[in-house]
């Protein structure tokens, strides 16, 4: 009996150790190296392609021009804004799939679209899905054979459309703190009686879209409002480096103080990392790393991330949310692949248990949380698989991706599309197909199985492009995905003059005055005093250069370039590296794109 028990424990320990060594290090995979041959992968790509078109055609046939398809009743419905949302959200996926004919057709259709409507919309959703979708399509349009306007990518019809929408969102940022309200009316601005309470992600998820807009159009306003909102959030972080999940944008008071990495906060963290790389802003990466310390210290338990109180860090909710599953993807892009792998294995256990990752899973009880048992076809888990696979090439990640594909095909397919799972315990369906299914879930699935896709360029080659006297390099693989999976080619930002750093910060600090003052009359003293405020350092001081080579150094106002302005809460150790060597493959792509280089 004792011997049997010992044998059992010995075998179990052996299996666990093997599992840990094999999968976590990526050296001895469970999936044999011979599996996932090119032929197999080609079949998987064909299957994802078919899946995409089944849903896309279902939308066109039954729902367009309304926002979304109702896949059980085969009808359409307006959800987020009455602006043909799914069509715009799906556009960059058409480019990734290489369907240039349909891409061109949709671009033509969009030229008729007007956003001058008397409707209230979510500032966050409109930004990530519509502004992000249009900007990404604008930057990808050179691939589709569209006749480009002279001066592209610094102008063009999709850019103008994106700017038109962004302009309609700008009134939301006119709050006392600079953090945006959650809703605007596309014609009349912030509705009277709008609540001043916005979620953290709703404040901190603009720098990618608004940064790209400013760099392409030379109008500093967009990047400035996004930076101002980020700065305000940062200044309201707790003493242990965490942020809550809802804040009053007029007073700066936290209204919901639970801190996590998921719902209502998620893309704030994502945008610090991606915004830093896309726009060569190391200060955003430093902010992220500061938060990461707090997250690892207080939230991380056995590679799950629990909700904790933002000031004390005590666990308030020991759950895993589907929306948290983007986190291993973010960790992969900064080189923390081992941490990423451990969490993805946890999440995969949930998938194996229920078939899908539910909205909320109680880690201690090992069951779904009541009221949060659905799966609305979200992308986060597959998104992380894709990023982690690019970083490790561990074929177990392909197998996990195939698990997702099988589950979607088996349980959610309907005669005209794919439907939300209402309850992951019995796979009952509900009549909704969110637009992110075509923007993100299908795109990440395809990209997971398509190593040769142009998106995965290795940074060693690109397509030179010239606009007037400026030259830039396109299509190097330096693609940064916004949180709706719309890829932005970082190299394209170098094609346009963009505003100066001074113009941007002038606007951040003097939003009202600067709209009436040209940058040449700028007030040096004012800007300088802001730059030296004890919050974030916005210029690239020597300390940064020792970690990171920035090909185009951040444009500090000349008067400040020699000054030492850092007085904020700096990490004690000065020898940490912003981009670890493990992150080099990812950063290399940005390097050729003219962005951040690895060290
Ligand atoms: C998408 O709209 C975005 O990925 C957002 O960041 C979170 N929610 C959905 C997908 O789940």
């Amino acid at each position: 009996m004792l011997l049997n028990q010992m044998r059992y424990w010995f075998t179990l320990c052996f299996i666990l150790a093997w599992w840990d060594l094999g999968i976590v290090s990526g050296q001895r995979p469970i999936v044999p190296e011979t599996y996932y041959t090119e032929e197999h992968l080609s079949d998987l790509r064909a299957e994802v392609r078919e899946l995409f078109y089944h849903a896309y055609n279902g939308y066109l046939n039954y729902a367009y021009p309304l926002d979304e398809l109702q896949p059980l009743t085969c009808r359409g419905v307006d959800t987020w804004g009455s602006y043909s949302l799914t069509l715009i959200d799906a556009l960059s996926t058409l480019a990734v799939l290489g369907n240039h004919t349909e891409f061109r057709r949709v671009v033509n259709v969009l030229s008729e679209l007007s956003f001058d409507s008397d409707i209230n919309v979510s500032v966050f959703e409109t930004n990530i899905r519509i502004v992000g979708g249009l900007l990404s399509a604008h930057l990808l349009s050179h691939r589709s054979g569209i006749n480009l306007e002279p001066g592209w990518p610094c102008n063009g019809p999709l850019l103008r459309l994106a700017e038109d929408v962004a302009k309609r969102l700008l009134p939301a940022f006119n709050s006392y703190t600079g953090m945006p309200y959650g809703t605007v009316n596309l014609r009349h601005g912030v509705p009277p009686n709008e609540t001043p309470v916005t979620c953290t992600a709703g404040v901190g998820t603009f720098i990618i879209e608004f940064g790209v807009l400013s760099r392409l159009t030379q109008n500093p306003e967009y990047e400035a409002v996004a930076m101002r909102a980020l700065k305000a959030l940062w200044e309201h972080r707790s003493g242990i480096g965490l942020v809550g999940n809802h804040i009053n944008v007029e007073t700066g008071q936290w209204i919901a103080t639970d801190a996590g990495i998921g719902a209502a906060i998620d893309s704030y963290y994502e945008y610090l990392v991606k915004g830093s790389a896309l726009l060569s802003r190391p200060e955003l990466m430093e902010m992220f790393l500061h938060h990461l310390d707090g997250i690892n210290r207080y939230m991380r338990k056995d590679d799950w991330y629990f909700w904790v109180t933002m000031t004390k860090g005590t666990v308030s909710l020991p759950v895993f949310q589907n929306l948290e599953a983007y986190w291993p993807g973010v960790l992969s892009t900064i080189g923390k692949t081992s941490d990423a792998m451990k969490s993805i294995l946890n999440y995969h256990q949930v998938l194996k248990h229920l078939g899908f990752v539910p909205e909320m899973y109680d880690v201690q009880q090992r069951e779904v949380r009541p009221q949060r048992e659905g799966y609305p076809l979200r992308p986060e888990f597959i998104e992380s698989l894709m990023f982690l696979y690019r970083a490790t090439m561990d074929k177990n990640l392909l197998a996990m991706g195939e698990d997702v594909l099988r589950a979607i095909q088996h349980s959610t397919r309907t005669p005209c599309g794919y439907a939300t799972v209402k309850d992951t315990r019995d796979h009952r369906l509900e009549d909704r197909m969110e637009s992110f299914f075509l923007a993100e879930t299908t795109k990440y699935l395809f990209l997971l199985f398509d190593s040769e896709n142009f998106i995965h360029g290795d940074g060693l080659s690109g397509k030179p492009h010239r606009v007037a006297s400026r030259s830039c390099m396109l299509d190097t693989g330096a693609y940064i995905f916004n949180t709706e999976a719309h890829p932005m080619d970082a190299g394209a930002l170098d094609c346009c003059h963009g505003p100066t750093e001074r113009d941007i910060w002038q606007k951040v600090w003097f939003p009202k005055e600067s709209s009436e003052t040209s940058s040449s009359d700028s007030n040096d003293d004012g800007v300088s005093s802001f730059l030296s405020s004890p919050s974030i350092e916005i210029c690239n001081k020597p300390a940064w250069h020792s970690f990171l080579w920035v090909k185009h150094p951040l444009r500090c106002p000349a008067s400040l370039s020699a000054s030492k302005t850092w007085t904020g809460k700096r990490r004690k150790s000065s020898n940490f590296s912003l981009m670890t060597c493990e992150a080099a493959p990812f950063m290399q792509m940005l390097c050729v794109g003219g962005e951040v280089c690895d060290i």
Side-chain angles (χ1 to χ4, degrees):
M1 175 73 172
L2 187 66
L3 197 65
N4 272 350
Q5 263 185 5
M6 279 174 65
R7 248 193 227 129
Y8 169 78
W9 286 112
F10 179 76
T11 316
L12 186 68
C13 289
F14 178 76
I15 290 172
L16 288 177
W18 188 71
W19 174 270
D20 190 55
L21 283 174
I23 290 201
V24 172
S25 70
Q27 285 162 4
R28 259 188 283 163
I30 302 295
V31 172
E33 270 304 313
T34 49
Y35 209 59
Y36 291 106
T37 57
E38 186 35 50
E39 201 185 346
H40 188 169
L41 288 168
S42 157
D43 289 348
L44 289 169
R45 289 195 294 275
E47 186 175 347
V48 177
R49 215 180 261 283
E50 193 281 331
L51 177 160
F52 173 87
Y53 286 115
H54 178 66
Y56 180 74
N57 291 329
Y59 167 74
L60 288 184
N61 292 337
Y62 302 105
Y64 175 80
L66 302 182
D67 281 341
E68 285 176 18
L69 170 72
Q70 293 181 292
L72 297 182
T73 50
C74 299
R75 289 183 310 202
V77 62
D78 275 335
T79 50
W80 289 108
S82 190
Y83 35 33
S84 301
L85 176 63
T86 299
L87 189 71
I88 297 175
D89 231 6
L91 189 50
S92 68
T93 310
L94 289 171
V96 166
L97 295 176
N99 189 341
H100 303 311
T101 320
E102 180 62 6
F103 183 94
R104 285 195 301 267
R105 187 192 74 79
V106 175
V107 170
N108 251 331
V109 169
L110 294 183
S111 62
E112 307 293 311
L113 210 62
S114 161
F115 289 92
D116 183 27
S117 317
D118 185 6
I119 48 168
N120 293 348
V121 298
S122 154
V123 179
F124 169 84
E125 300 293 353
T126 306
N127 176 53
I128 66 169
R129 303 191 198 208
I130 301 290
V131 179
L134 292 171
L135 281 176
S136 175
H138 166 70
L139 292 176
L140 291 168
S141 55
H142 69 104
R143 301 184 51 84
S144 69
I146 281 179
N147 277 336
L148 299 173
E149 268 187 27
W152 178 95
C154 318
N155 55 37
L158 291 176
L159 179 61
R160 284 191 287 278
L161 210 51
E163 191 175 13
D164 174 59
V165 182
K167 277 209 171 97
R168 296 172 190 278
L169 302 183
L170 282 180
F173 291 82
N174 285 333
S175 69
Y176 184 74
T177 64
M179 294 189 270
Y181 280 81
T183 306
V184 285
N185 182 289
L186 286 178
R187 192 174 288 162
H188 305 298
V190 178
N193 306 322
E194 169 63 4
T195 171
V197 178
T198 305
C199 69
T200 304
V203 173
T205 310
F206 293 89
I207 191 61
I208 292 184
E209 299 80 2
F210 280 28
V212 168
L213 256 183
S214 279
R215 305 283 170 113
L216 297 180
T217 62
Q218 225 182 322
N219 178 350
E221 183 93 36
Y222 311 108
E223 191 163 340
V225 296
M227 285 303 284
R228 185 160 178 249
L230 280 176
K231 177 181 176 297
L233 262 186
W234 172 248
E235 283 172 350
H236 286 90
R237 73 196 181 282
S238 71
I240 57 173
L242 302 178
V243 288
N245 67 80
H246 279 79
I247 194 163
N248 183 316
V249 301
E250 289 297 341
T251 63
Q253 188 197 352
W254 287 104
I255 303 301
T257 53
D258 280 331
I261 56 167
I265 302 181
D266 46 9
S267 41
Y268 162 57
Y269 291 133
E270 183 187 347
Y271 271 37
L272 290 180
V273 172
K274 293 177 172 180
S276 167
L278 177 67
L279 304 171
S280 292
R281 287 196 172 283
E283 71 272 28
L284 298 183
M285 185 62 82
E286 179 146 8
M287 288 159 73
F288 176 77
L289 292 175
H290 180 83
H291 286 309
L292 186 61
D293 272 351
I295 289 169
N296 280 335
R297 188 163 306 159
Y298 298 102
M299 295 181 197
R300 187 173 172 188
K301 314 277 176 210
D302 294 333
D303 305 304
W304 300 97
Y305 293 85
F306 292 158
W307 287 78
V308 300
T309 56
M310 68 177 280
T311 46
K312 297 237 162 56
T314 42
V315 173
S316 53
L317 201 58
V319 298
F320 157 59
Q321 298 178 320
N322 187 329
L323 283 167
E324 293 165 9
Y326 75 103
W327 187 251
V330 168
L331 292 181
S332 312
T333 59
I334 60 165
K336 299 192 181 299
T337 50
S338 166
D339 287 353
M341 191 66 90
K342 290 175 191 161
S343 292
I344 210 108
L345 288 170
N346 278 350
Y347 305 166
H348 186 239
Q349 293 306 312
V350 179
L351 183 100
K352 282 300 206 189
H353 174 189
L354 295 161
F356 295 100
V357 178
E359 289 291 68
M360 224 187 249
Y361 185 79
D362 189 318
V363 174
Q364 288 166 347
Q365 305 298 323
R366 290 177 186 267
E367 61 189 21
V368 292
R369 290 278 291 207
Q371 317 295 322
R372 311 289 291 143
E373 54 279 281
Y375 168 65
L377 303 170
R378 286 196 195 281
E380 281 76 4
F381 179 68
I382 195 81
E383 164 183 353
S384 281
L385 291 178
M386 197 283 280
F387 282 112
L388 195 45
Y389 181 64
R390 298 313 306 163
T392 63
M393 292 288 151
D394 183 335
K395 289 190 172 179
N396 292 287
L397 299 163
L398 297 177
M400 294 183 211
E402 198 175 350
D403 286 343
V404 177
L405 175 60
R406 291 289 144 257
I408 289 177
Q409 293 285 50
H410 178 271
S411 298
T412 72
R413 190 171 170 115
T414 74
C416 57
Y418 287 84
T420 289
V421 177
K422 191 175 172 52
D423 191 331
T424 48
R425 290 167 301 190
D426 56 18
H427 294 194
R428 255 178 307 146
L429 298 179
E430 88 180 64
D431 204 9
R432 183 145 196 210
M433 185 180 87
E434 281 250 25
S435 66
F436 53 67
F437 182 60
L438 292 182
E440 299 192 72
T441 315
T442 50
K443 185 187 282 136
Y444 284 131
L445 261 177
F446 189 79
L447 286 173
L448 174 68
F449 300 132
D450 191 20
S451 284
E452 298 304 312
N453 198 281
F454 72 93
I455 290 284
H456 299 316
D458 58 9
L460 298 177
S461 60
K463 201 160 124 191
H465 184 70
R466 242 189 130 69
V467 183
S469 59
R470 291 182 77 89
S471 54
C472 45
M473 189 71 88
L474 304 175
D475 257 354
T476 58
Y479 286 99
I480 299 286
F481 289 84
N482 86 337
T483 192
E484 191 74 0
H486 295 305
M488 311 281 176
D489 188 344
L493 305 191
D494 275 349
C495 304
C496 313
H497 269 286
T500 65
E501 193 67 4
R502 168 168 287 280
D503 287 340
I504 292 168
W505 285 96
Q506 188 91 32
K507 287 250 175 207
V508 173
W509 202 228
F510 309 108
K512 298 260 158 45
E513 291 84 336
S514 62
S515 54
E516 288 135 32
T517 329
S518 80
S519 58
S520 52
D521 338 305
S522 61
N523 174 343
D524 277 355
D525 290 346
V527 176
S528 307
S529 69
F530 166 64
L531 295 178
S532 58
S533 71
S535 50
I536 48 171
E537 183 180 39
I538 64 145
C539 288
N540 206 13
K541 294 299 169 315
W544 287 107
H545 288 261
S546 57
F547 307 124
L548 185 77
W549 179 62
V550 179
K551 193 173 170 192
H552 302 292
L554 293 183
R555 285 150 285 194
C556 296
S559 60
L560 293 172
S561 55
S563 67
K564 288 209 182 310
T565 57
W566 178 272
T567 49
K569 298 184 182 82
R570 201 178 231 314
R571 293 161 65 111
K572 279 211 186 84
S573 139
S574 58
N575 61 353
F576 71 98
S577 151
L578 270 177
M579 307 290 175
T580 65
C581 292
E582 286 175 274
F586 176 72
M587 287 303 146
Q588 176 179 307
M589 300 183 291
L590 296 166
C591 187
V592 177
E595 299 294 313
V596 182
C597 285
D598 59 304
I599 45 171

